């Protein structure tokens, strides 16, 4: 009986993910945000999710105030995903908190929460893997693969991501308003 319940839950979750994927094509930020909130994504005041975002289990995703999620981003909610305030996530960024254990004989999935603190910038086509915490004010360069925590105000880049610089402290900016049809 437990197996049947898990299977039905998986089917329902996949159906919700499919609906949200299609909602991502609606060219109005306000309509998309309405449906994302209904599905369980917690979206802070002034935050924007651009078109074509993909979600896995949206109920575990929290986005703070004044944050921007770029076009085609993947947000994984199979474990907790917390995105802070004033975070800029560029286009086609993939944030995962579940992956297969390649050392497991049954190739089972393992999950770990991802935390992205305030004032972080994540460059286009970057990949954030399960269990990573990105500290306040950090920058992830375009195309980087982040496999370990990133310290506050550290700039990382490469595959795997490694420190390549420091960001100035004392950040205090707002990212702006959502474009109506983006």
């Amino acid at each position: 009986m437990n197996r049947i319940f898990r299977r039905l839950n998986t089917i329902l979750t996949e159906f919700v993910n499919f609906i949200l994927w299609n909602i991502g094509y609606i060219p109005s930020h306000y309509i998309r945000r309405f449906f994302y909130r209904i599905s369980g994504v917690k979206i802070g005041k002034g935050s924007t999710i651009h078109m074509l975002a993909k979600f896995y289990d949206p109920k575990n995703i929290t986005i703070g105030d004044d944050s921007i999620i770029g076009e085609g981003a993947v947000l994984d909610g199979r474990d907790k995903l917390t995105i802070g305030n004033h975070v800029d996530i560029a286009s086609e960024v993939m944030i995962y908190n579940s992956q297969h254990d390649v050392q497991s004989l049954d190739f089972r999935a393992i999950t770990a929460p991802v935390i992205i603190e305030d004032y972080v910038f994540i460059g286009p086509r970057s990949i954030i893997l399960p269990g990573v915490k990105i500290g306040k004010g950090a920058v992830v360069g375009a195309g980087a693969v982040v496999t370990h925590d990133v310290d506050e105000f550290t700039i990382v880049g490469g595959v795997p991501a490694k420190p390549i610089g420091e960001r100035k402290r004392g950040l205090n900016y707002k990212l702006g308003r959502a474009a109506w049809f983006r």
Side-chain angles (χ1 to χ4, degrees):
M1 190 66 157
N2 192 16
R3 187 175 178 183
I4 293 170
F5 176 74
R6 282 185 297 157
R7 185 66 183 145
L8 289 174
N9 188 47
T10 299
I11 291 169
L12 178 61
T13 300
E14 290 299 318
F15 181 70
V16 169
N17 292 343
F18 173 73
I19 296 295
L20 291 178
W21 180 62
N22 284 298
I23 287 170
Y25 284 94
I26 297 172
S28 169
H29 159 73
Y30 300 101
I31 294 170
R32 286 193 314 274
R33 187 172 58 187
F34 171 78
F35 284 106
Y36 294 154
R37 283 181 170 151
I38 286 175
S39 73
V41 180
K42 292 160 215 66
I43 304 172
K45 181 180 176 188
S47 288
T48 303
I49 301 173
H50 290 292
M51 291 179 67
L52 305 177
K54 292 187 177 126
F55 298 88
Y56 297 110
D57 208 352
K59 69 182 178 294
N60 291 320
I61 299 171
T62 301
I63 301 168
D65 296 339
D66 186 46
S67 290
I68 296 174
I69 310 299
E71 289 92 355
V74 175
L75 304 178
D76 190 346
R78 291 175 284 185
D79 202 315
K80 283 191 167 273
L81 170 56
T82 305
I83 298 169
N85 301 318
H86 315 290
V87 173
D88 188 351
I89 296 176
S91 297
E92 298 180 14
V93 168
M94 294 180 278
I95 304 171
Y96 291 106
N97 53 34
S98 181
Q99 66 185 2
H100 289 284
D101 181 356
V102 296
Q103 299 300 333
S104 169
L105 296 178
D106 63 357
F107 201 52
R108 69 176 164 36
I110 52 176
T111 64
V114 171
I115 299 170
I116 300 170
E117 294 186 340
D118 299 345
Y119 293 103
V120 168
F121 172 67
I122 301 176
R125 294 192 173 177
S126 296
I127 301 172
I128 313 300
L129 294 179
V132 168
K133 178 180 178 183
I134 301 177
K136 179 179 180 179
V139 174
V140 175
V145 177
V146 183
T147 59
H148 294 90
D149 291 353
V150 177
D151 292 334
E152 290 186 353
F153 301 100
T154 300
I155 301 170
V156 299
V159 179
K162 296 191 182 317
I164 58 173
E166 284 283 321
R167 192 174 188 194
K168 291 182 180 179
R169 295 177 184 264
L171 301 172
N172 185 23
Y173 56 79
K174 297 229 183 268
L175 293 171
R177 298 196 150 272
W180 274 60
F181 299 104
R182 188 166 176 202

